[in-house]
Amino acid sequence: MRVFKSLVLLFLLSVVRGSMVQLKNGGYEDIVIAINPELPENHNIIRNIQDMVKEASTYLFTATKQRFFFKAVKIIIPPHWQRKPEYLSVKTESYDKADVIVANPSLKYVDEPYTLQYKGCGEKGRYIHFTPNFLLNDNLHNIYGSRAKVFVHEWAHLRWGVFDEYSYDAPFYLSVNSGKETVEATRCSADVTGKYIFQSCTGNSCTTKECKYDEQTKLYEAGCKFVAEKNQNAPASIMYMQSLPSVVGFCDQKTHNEKATNMQNKMCNYKSTWEVIMNSTDFSNTSPINSTRPPFETSFSLLQTKDRVVCLVLDVSGSMAWNNRINRLYQAAEIFLLQIIEMGSWVGIVTFHSTAQIACSLRQIVSENVRRDLITYLPTSAGGGTKICEGVYKGFEVIKQKYSNPDGSEIVLLTDGEDSSMSSCLSEVKNSGSIIHTIALGPSAAKELEKFSDMTGGLKLSATDTVDSNGLTDEFSGISSRSGNIFGQSFQLESTARRLTLKQWMNGTVIVDSTVGKDTFFVVTWDQSTSPPDILLWDPKEKEYRTSDFTVSNLNLRTARLQIAGTAEVGNWLYMIQNNHTESQVISMIVTSRPASLTDPPVIVKAHMNKDTNDFPNPMVIYAEVSQGFLPVLGATVMATVEQETGSAVELRLLDGGSGADITKNDGIYSKYFTSFKGNSRYNLKLRVQGRNQTVSLSHRQSRALYVPGYIENGEIKMNAPRPEPSDEDIQAKLGSFNRVATGGSFVVENVPSGGFTDVFPPCKITDLEAQSEEDKIHLSWTAPGNDLDEGQADRYIIKMSESLLDLRNTFDNATSVNTSSLVPKPAGTKESFQFKPENVTIENGSIIYFAICAVDDASLTSEVSNVVQVALFVPPKESLAEMLPTEVITNRVPTQGSLTGSFPKDVINDGVNVSVKVIGAVIAVLAVLIAVTITVCILYKKNRKGRFELRV
């Protein structure tokens, strides 16, 4: 066994979960860029990808001080594009696990490049999303800079887990330097120079003027933009405005702007992006290269997907007769073959015990008759020993009967037993080019089984012997195509099971939403009787279906299936099931459906864990990504069930509130810590998601490249077209209510103390602390953490304040304490509010006080220090009505939201004309100055009396 683990370690040393990227001598290899299968054929996309990455390699090499470059990239081409001799077959690469995807935008007219990033500082993101228009439209260079620079910006999000150094939510902050207070743009470095410009557009023309102060916030007015000088000396930062010609690197410890109100400071504890990169494993595993250019030019491999090929390799050893496993396997595999696997796929079946047998050679699913014929080859009996490699070898043989090599094929390997000889086929598995999905059934399945999945990029799944969890069926239902073609996939709308006594009923509601409805199946299973229970089902128009409408196969007497003809009615389907067997039995309802159309993307739920293998006492984090197309779905109720291999389960509600494990509010990523470890074992994850019509909405993605409002060049302001903002209608979900069930695969927890453990989890870090002033009082608000991370209730809070942000961060304990004796923590997830009057603090104009908070649990474990907020007293300088700038720009043509085509004409992007200020305007301005001065004097007089504070977070 020790030899086996050593071999696996050698194979997996440089493999990253969810990505195939390897780093060798500073060069990134096996980067996968996948083109969405919905896109029409356009070879300029391929050419521009290649040009972008080649140029980006040199830029990255310089930005990382001669340490990293892009060495080898694979581009996955859609199957419907014309085949060419130079196209190779995909192996273990897939659209679903690509590092970069090229797909249509999440919202019309919005071509912002972004990275799906929902983990903490220094942790890798999921993927980068470029639109075809971004890759093809050169006019966007003036908005984002060169594609190469944008790619490096997004790569830093993806690979090193750094965050943006600008902020759309908090574009300005108050700064005091050498006793002088100023309003600054959120940026890094602070050496980037520019002007504060307000642009207003009427019809097809736009005017610009200097920004005014907002009376309430004391910052610049809403809509004010910081317009940078095109030519300047600031070399940083790529995570702020990579488009500037002078920007050639990341903000480091010397140039970092810790006062900026951006995500980088919030998420990375005020560390610079370069400090985070230096702390990465990539950095520690490489050394600077003695060269002015990358040692290799980027190479590209063009890969094209083919028909899906799947071979089921199923354990039929003696232990499969225990706990009704062989019958449950039949039920689950039957659902997979009849309802889940996509039309046009090729399927074969292998069974194994001490030896392996081909039950069915590859057959292409071209009709329902083929599906029904395939299930006749599923095993119904068990006996013999367990030789896993024999089954795998036979699976390769089935695939090679049709294809000369198994590149890109899939094997679904299910076993419930151990096998000491598994190491004998490691080399063949690694070099096969096939993807192996593993299903561990029961508590005794080989602990090394998942290594096959690790080496080939397959799914790692597990199911317990607890029948009422529907685990095995759910795992099979999660093995869908990873080609990116979501319109051919089947989705679980319901999967529930209960043990019912004689004459007991099980009732429920299944919601069929408008995005699904084709190939809709209602499946009822039971585990004891050979005759079906009493079934009643009503559609939204009250059409009734009874047991007699369901089909029971002679091959499987414990499953009843109803396929709805055409497209299922949208709305609530009600069911009632009664156990008519003399003994209690477990009865389940499973509902699956495919998208209703090829134009309206379905709601998709994807489940993830922060890691596959965890060492206690590190917590796990559960993530649920809920989206329609690429748009995040907000307002859903997401419940996660984590089940240990022995059958005990814990249910958690995941939240999208921007606190606890959830780093960003309202991004469609629902998160929760998991700490209920019951021992060293496998755990599997299942999600149930429900959206209600009144609460569901859509949103933007975060971690985007900055949309540059314009530049100042040779003293002239050149504004870009205003950033396209989607209308409320565009982001208003038209989903109605919906249900989804999804599997999150399995993970392993090790080093849990056998005798149980004491409290080792402190309250989680508070990340959403906010502050504002009310007369002479300070008002703080935040989301309550728990006793154990984000679960339970903390014991008390510690609030500190200081005139130095860094002192508060670095020496929190030494800062001035705020009296919190009256503050009693609320349960985790509850909004907290606390108001107090600062004591022993002298406040005058220009003063800034910083605040931070920690939570303490009943075992005296203390959370990390929260994000730091500031409250400032600031009286803005006297100002007149903002004057028209002498270099005011009027664009010749500005597209409206309805007429945007995703490409900006050249005259909209950068061309402009100067406009003179007429005499009458000057007279009005003078009068306005006199009025403003009078008002300002009154305001200053009142403020000096009240001593009012203002907040900047």
Side-chain angles (χ1 to χ4, degrees):
M1 196 64 67
R2 185 174 299 172
V3 173
F4 179 89
K5 291 183 177 179
S6 298
L7 286 169
V8 170
L9 181 61
L10 287 174
F11 287 139
L12 299 181
L13 199 56
S14 56
V15 175
V16 177
R17 172 78 161 83
S19 172
M20 302 181 69
V21 175
Q22 300 185 65
L23 178 62
K24 296 180 180 178
N25 300 320
Y28 288 109
E29 300 181 13
D30 296 332
I31 299 168
V32 176
I33 301 177
I35 301 173
N36 190 282
E38 294 177 40
L39 297 185
E41 188 164 358
N42 186 336
H43 289 274
N44 288 331
I45 292 177
I46 299 174
R47 188 192 68 231
N48 287 2
I49 289 173
Q50 293 172 329
D51 292 343
M52 173 184 71
V53 178
K54 285 179 182 178
E55 183 184 341
S57 182
T58 301
Y59 187 64
L60 178 68
F61 192 68
T62 301
T64 58
K65 303 174 183 178
Q66 294 75 47
R67 192 175 288 267
F68 303 119
F69 62 98
F70 299 120
K71 186 177 181 182
V73 174
K74 299 175 180 178
I75 301 175
I76 298 179
I77 297 166
H80 66 85
W81 288 25
Q82 184 177 356
R83 295 190 179 275
K84 294 187 176 183
E86 61 268 28
Y87 293 172
L88 306 174
S89 294
V90 295
K91 292 187 177 180
T92 57
E93 306 85 4
S94 68
Y95 179 93
D96 213 36
K97 287 197 171 185
D99 305 289
V100 182
I101 58 175
V102 180
N104 285 322
S106 55
L107 287 169
K108 267 193 312 186
Y109 322 124
V110 180
D111 289 297
E112 289 176 313
Y114 71 86
T115 300
L116 183 57
Q117 182 182 20
Y118 50 75
K119 297 183 182 180
C121 182
E123 298 187 73
K124 294 176 176 61
R126 275 285 312 287
Y127 60 76
I128 298 168
H129 180 184
F130 292 134
T131 68
N133 191 50
F134 172 79
L135 293 171
L136 297 172
N137 184 357
D138 291 343
N139 285 339
L140 294 177
H141 285 193
N142 286 323
I143 291 174
Y144 300 111
S146 74
R147 298 184 188 104
K149 287 188 168 186
V150 172
F151 184 42
V152 172
H153 173 102
E154 300 303 334
W155 183 261
H157 282 307
L158 181 76
R159 187 70 188 182
W160 301 314
V162 298
F163 292 84
D164 288 322
E165 292 170 332
Y166 67 88
S167 174
Y168 286 126
D169 296 328
F172 308 108
Y173 67 95
L174 181 64
S175 177
V176 176
N177 295 303
S178 303
K180 181 181 179 182
E181 61 278 354
T182 58
V183 174
E184 298 285 346
T186 300
R187 66 196 190 279
C188 193
S189 72
D191 294 334
V192 175
T193 59
K195 293 183 179 180
Y196 298 93
I197 305 297
F198 185 92
Q199 182 183 42
S200 58
C201 298
T202 304
N204 290 331
S205 65
C206 292
T207 60
T208 60
K209 61 182 181 181
E210 292 180 346
C211 294
K212 298 187 296 183
Y213 289 102
D214 183 280
E215 275 298 315
Q216 183 174 359
T217 67
K218 301 302 182 288
L219 300 178
Y220 288 122
E221 61 189 316
C224 179
K225 306 292 183 185
F226 176 74
V227 181
E229 298 277 356
K230 188 71 176 272
N231 300 309
Q232 55 185 295
N233 298 320
S237 169
I238 291 170
M239 300 313 294
Y240 167 57
M241 193 181 290
Q242 73 284 334
S243 57
L244 290 173
S246 65
V247 169
V248 293
F250 298 93
C251 268
D252 57 20
Q253 199 166 8
K254 294 181 179 179
T255 58
H256 181 60
N257 181 6
E258 72 277 353
K259 298 177 183 178
T261 50
N262 54 37
M263 281 292 286
Q264 174 63 25
N265 278 331
K266 177 181 177 181
M267 295 306 305
C268 296
N269 201 23
Y270 302 90
K271 291 181 181 178
S272 68
T273 52
W274 185 243
E275 287 176 274
V276 175
I277 294 169
M278 289 175 62
N279 196 44
S280 68
T281 55
D282 285 0
F283 196 92
S284 61
N285 290 332
T286 56
S287 300
I289 299 169
N290 187 19
S291 174
T292 58
R293 295 185 59 81
F296 299 95
E297 185 176 273
T298 310
S299 64
F300 296 90
S301 301
L302 303 182
L303 313 178
Q304 193 165 34
T305 55
K306 57 186 179 183
D307 292 336
R308 190 181 186 197
V309 178
V310 179
C311 185
L312 302 183
V313 178
L314 308 175
D315 186 350
V316 292
S317 62
S319 56
M320 286 294 293
W322 305 344
N323 298 302
N324 201 28
R325 289 173 186 168
I326 196 69
N327 292 327
R328 290 163 52 216
L329 167 60
Y330 191 103
Q331 289 176 327
E334 182 184 61
I335 287 176
F336 176 75
L337 293 173
L338 292 179
Q339 301 170 217
I340 303 300
I341 192 163
E342 299 80 8
M343 191 68 76
S345 302
W346 293 82
V347 179
I349 300 173
V350 166
T351 60
F352 71 93
H353 40 76
S354 300
T355 59
Q357 302 79 34
I358 297 175
C360 178
S361 297
L362 287 180
R363 302 215 24 210
Q364 188 173 27
I365 300 177
V366 294
S367 67
E368 296 304 315
N369 288 334
V370 175
R371 291 183 186 272
R372 286 191 287 269
D373 189 49
L374 281 168
I375 65 174
T376 64
Y377 297 99
L378 291 173
T380 57
S381 60
T386 304
K387 292 292 183 182
I388 293 172
C389 286
E390 292 297 317
V392 173
Y393 287 142
K394 196 62 72 172
F396 291 155
E397 182 182 329
V398 167
I399 295 165
K400 289 180 180 178
Q401 287 176 350
K402 177 171 178 59
Y403 297 96
S404 59
N405 63 65
D407 287 353
S409 63
E410 300 169 63
I411 285 179
V412 178
L413 173 60
L414 178 143
T415 184
D416 71 340
E418 297 194 34
D419 179 5
S420 60
S421 64
M422 282 182 65
S423 61
S424 64
C425 57
L426 276 177
S427 295
E428 289 87 344
V429 167
K430 180 178 183 293
N431 298 320
S432 68
S434 182
I435 299 167
I436 299 184
H437 310 297
T438 56
I439 303 177
L441 178 57
S444 300
K447 302 303 180 186
E448 300 82 11
L449 184 63
E450 286 88 352
K451 306 306 181 184
F452 285 4
S453 298
D454 283 330
M455 286 188 291
T456 63
L459 299 172
K460 290 187 279 192
L461 309 168
S462 69
T464 70
D465 286 325
T466 305
V467 183
D468 58 2
S469 69
N470 272 4
L472 194 53
T473 297
D474 295 337
E475 302 297 32
F476 266 102
S477 299
I479 308 174
S480 56
S481 169
R482 303 194 295 178
S483 67
N485 180 14
I486 60 174
F487 293 102
Q489 293 182 15
S490 181
F491 300 94
Q492 271 191 296
L493 309 186
E494 178 66 288
S495 176
T496 188
R498 282 180 57 194
R499 180 170 292 279
L500 302 180
T501 59
L502 175 63
K503 299 303 181 182
Q504 187 177 4
W505 289 90
M506 179 172 76
N507 308 327
T509 301
V510 178
I511 301 171
V512 176
D513 60 90
S514 61
T515 69
V516 294
K518 284 183 62 178
D519 294 337
T520 302
F521 288 88
F522 288 80
V523 180
V524 178
T525 69
W526 55 98
D527 70 336
Q528 296 295 327
S529 174
T530 55
S531 59
D534 295 326
I535 307 170
L536 290 172
L537 175 69
W538 294 272
D539 76 3
K541 293 185 176 180
E542 300 186 357
K543 179 180 178 179
E544 183 178 276
Y545 299 88
R546 290 181 171 268
T547 307
S548 57
D549 297 307
F550 285 70
T551 300
V552 179
S553 168
N554 292 331
L555 299 170
N556 180 9
L557 297 178
R558 293 188 175 92
T559 299
R561 178 175 283 99
L562 172 67
Q563 182 174 10
I564 305 300
T567 303
E569 290 286 346
V570 173
N572 293 343
W573 290 66
L574 308 180
Y575 65 85
M576 298 177 63
I577 306 172
Q578 185 184 43
N579 177 27
N580 54 24
H581 188 49
T582 55
E583 303 291 337
S584 67
Q585 63 177 342
V586 173
I587 297 177
S588 70
M589 170 65 87
I590 298 118
V591 183
T592 64
S593 188
R594 298 187 195 274
S597 75
L598 297 177
T599 56
D600 195 9
V603 175
I604 297 175
V605 175
K606 295 181 180 179
H608 309 281
M609 302 297 298
N610 63 326
K611 59 186 77 171
D612 293 336
T613 302
N614 185 50
D615 285 323
F616 181 88
N618 296 312
M620 297 291 292
V621 183
I622 305 170
Y623 301 103
E625 177 190 346
V626 187
S627 62
Q628 183 186 23
F630 292 105
L631 284 176
V633 174
L634 312 183
T637 299
V638 181
M639 302 301 298
T641 301
V642 181
E643 189 180 26
Q644 190 189 12
E645 61 187 6
T646 57
S648 62
V650 175
E651 190 172 69
L652 302 167
R653 181 172 180 179
L654 311 189
L655 301 174
D656 186 20
S659 64
D662 193 68
I663 67 169
T664 305
K665 184 177 181 179
N666 291 339
D667 64 348
I669 307 296
Y670 300 75
S671 315
K672 186 76 173 179
Y673 286 107
F674 172 72
T675 59
S676 300
F677 304 123
K678 303 301 182 184
N680 299 316
S681 76
R682 287 189 182 96
Y683 295 75
N684 67 66
L685 170 64
K686 176 178 176 177
L687 295 179
R688 298 182 63 86
V689 180
Q690 187 174 69
R692 291 300 185 190
N693 192 31
Q694 296 83 0
T695 59
V696 173
S697 61
L698 304 174
S699 181
H700 286 288
R701 289 295 189 198
Q702 305 294 325
S703 297
R704 297 165 283 177
L706 176 65
Y707 188 103
V708 178
Y711 299 100
I712 300 173
E713 194 167 7
N714 298 323
E716 183 180 7
I717 301 171
K718 296 183 177 181
M719 299 296 290
N720 289 323
R723 177 171 172 255
E725 291 289 349
S727 64
D728 291 341
E729 183 179 356
D730 287 331
I731 62 174
Q732 181 60 46
K734 303 177 180 65
L735 303 175
S737 298
F738 68 88
N739 280 358
R740 291 293 185 274
V741 177
T743 178
S746 65
F747 59 94
V748 175
V749 179
E750 299 174 339
N751 299 320
V752 180
S754 58
F757 53 89
T758 56
D759 188 355
V760 294
F761 301 107
C764 63
K765 177 180 177 179
I766 295 168
T767 59
D768 62 346
L769 180 64
E770 297 180 349
Q772 63 182 15
S773 66
E774 296 180 0
E775 298 297 334
D776 58 347
K777 294 182 176 64
I778 305 297
H779 182 266
L780 300 178
S781 61
W782 65 93
T783 302
N787 184 72
D788 295 332
L789 299 171
D790 56 3
E791 188 70 23
Q793 186 171 342
D795 184 66
R796 57 192 173 90
Y797 292 116
I798 301 172
I799 299 176
K800 298 279 189 173
M801 62 182 183
S802 173
E803 294 184 15
S804 167
L805 183 153
L806 294 182
D807 285 350
L808 191 60
R809 182 195 74 175
N810 298 330
T811 57
F812 179 83
D813 292 338
N814 297 333
T816 302
S817 296
V818 174
N819 186 348
T820 58
S821 58
S822 62
L823 180 58
V824 179
K826 296 178 181 178
T830 308
K831 201 66 180 176
E832 296 271 28
S833 179
F834 182 60
Q835 185 171 280
F836 62 96
K837 181 178 180 179
E839 299 175 356
N840 303 319
V841 177
T842 302
I843 305 295
E844 57 187 12
N845 188 33
S847 295
I848 297 177
I849 307 177
Y850 296 94
F851 295 89
I853 185 171
C854 284
V856 184
D857 69 8
D858 54 10
S860 297
L861 298 176
T862 305
S863 71
E864 295 181 51
V865 178
S866 72
N867 62 302
V868 179
V869 295
Q870 64 171 222
V871 169
L873 176 65
F874 174 54
V875 179
K878 299 177 182 179
E879 65 175 2
S880 64
L881 288 175
E883 296 181 357
M884 306 297 284
L885 297 173
T887 55
E888 174 194 352
V889 174
I890 297 181
T891 57
N892 296 326
R893 188 166 137 251
V894 176
T896 62
Q897 181 68 24
S899 65
L900 278 168
T901 62
S903 61
F904 298 99
K906 184 178 178 182
D907 59 327
V908 174
I909 295 288
N910 244 349
D911 289 351
V913 295
N914 293 332
V915 176
S916 61
V917 180
K918 295 185 178 181
V919 174
I920 188 168
V923 173
I924 294 174
V926 170
L927 292 174
V929 169
L930 296 174
I931 295 171
V933 168
T934 303
I935 293 173
T936 302
V937 170
C938 293
I939 291 173
L940 290 174
Y941 174 74
K942 291 180 179 179
K943 288 191 178 296
N944 285 335
R945 293 180 62 190
K946 294 182 178 180
R948 181 177 174 86
F949 300 102
E950 286 300 332
L951 153 78
R952 277 303 87 209
V953 179

